[in-house]
Amino acid sequence: MKAIETSQPTVAPAVHSRQLGTQLSGSMSFSSQMSKEDEEMSRNALSAFRAKEEEIEKKKMEIKERVQAQLGRVEEETKRLALIREELEGLADPMRKEVALVRKKVDSVNKELKPLGLTVQKKEREYKEALEAFNEKNREKVQLITKLMELVGESEKMRMKKLEELSKSIDSIHSL
């Protein structure tokens, strides 16, 4: 708060009133009464000023304490937020590392699968070709077996017929 400005240099009120009293010594009765009134006003003004100063100082201290308390809470909240941020970063890091590791493995397996897939396709084509060749040879075999059975059957019939003819011939020779 600003000090009250006067035309005279700042002097303690008690000293000021004494100086005033000596200056006004021309009329004693008036001056002693004025002196007492001045002194009383000075004391009242000084008391009021001190009371205001104390009130201002008290409010200043209250505000300072509230600011300190608020700063303390802010510091605590800042620490809590820092801990929460650290926990979040801690949670994100392992997941990121694991995800990156799994992705690398997937990429690696994909690289291995590509040639294997081509090999499987090639082997499937070879298998189909071999199966077709096998089935073709099997059909051919079945046809040949069928032909063989027919030939064997005809051959047996012809031989039986020949045997019967020979048997008849023998019988006819014997009968003669």
Side-chain angles (χ1 to χ4, degrees):
M1 182 149 213
K2 291 183 180 180
I4 301 171
E5 291 185 27
T6 60
S7 59
Q8 296 179 347
T10 311
V11 181
V15 173
H16 179 59
S17 64
R18 272 188 234 128
Q19 285 176 346
L20 257 173
T22 56
Q23 287 173 358
L24 298 173
S25 63
S27 88
M28 244 352 216
S29 67
F30 182 72
S31 126
S32 67
Q33 191 168 353
M34 282 299 282
S35 219
K36 288 179 184 177
E37 285 177 17
D38 281 346
E39 203 173 302
E40 186 65 31
M41 282 192 337
S42 290
R43 266 191 243 134
N44 286 342
L46 184 60
S47 288
F49 178 74
R50 283 184 184 153
K52 284 287 184 187
E53 280 295 314
E54 286 175 9
E55 184 181 335
I56 289 170
E57 193 63 32
K58 184 179 175 184
K59 283 188 178 189
K60 184 177 161 184
M61 289 305 291
E62 286 175 7
I63 291 173
K64 191 174 184 180
E65 288 173 4
R66 285 183 16 211
V67 166
Q68 284 298 94
Q70 196 71 5
L71 284 175
R73 284 192 291 266
V74 167
E75 284 178 25
E76 289 175 23
E77 291 300 316
T78 302
K79 287 177 186 177
R80 281 185 45 213
L81 288 172
L83 285 173
I84 290 170
R85 183 183 334 119
E86 285 177 20
E87 286 180 30
L88 282 173
E89 288 172 358
L91 286 175
D93 271 348
M95 283 190 277
R96 241 186 267 140
K97 288 176 184 176
E98 288 177 29
V99 166
L101 184 64
V102 170
R103 281 186 180 156
K104 283 181 183 178
K105 287 181 181 180
V106 166
D107 290 342
S108 174
V109 169
N110 273 339
K111 287 177 184 175
E112 293 173 16
L113 276 176
K114 210 171 206 177
L116 288 174
L118 293 173
T119 303
V120 165
Q121 288 175 349
K122 181 181 175 186
K123 297 288 182 182
E124 282 178 342
R125 272 192 308 261
E126 288 175 5
Y127 170 76
K128 286 178 183 177
E129 289 171 3
L131 185 62
E132 254 181 64
F134 174 78
N135 287 337
E136 185 61 37
K137 288 295 176 185
N138 220 6
R139 283 190 291 271
E140 188 179 333
K141 176 183 154 189
V142 168
Q143 287 173 351
L144 289 173
I145 289 174
T146 304
K147 178 105 174 156
L148 177 66
M149 297 294 281
E150 288 173 9
L151 289 174
V152 167
E154 278 182 43
S155 173
E156 283 179 2
K157 280 182 188 176
M158 289 167 99
R159 283 180 25 219
M160 285 301 270
K161 204 177 196 182
K162 216 34 157 166
L163 281 174
E164 281 181 19
E165 286 176 13
L166 285 175
S167 183
K168 282 184 187 178
S169 295
I170 292 178
D171 281 343
S172 66
I173 296 180
H174 271 295
S175 349
L176 283 173

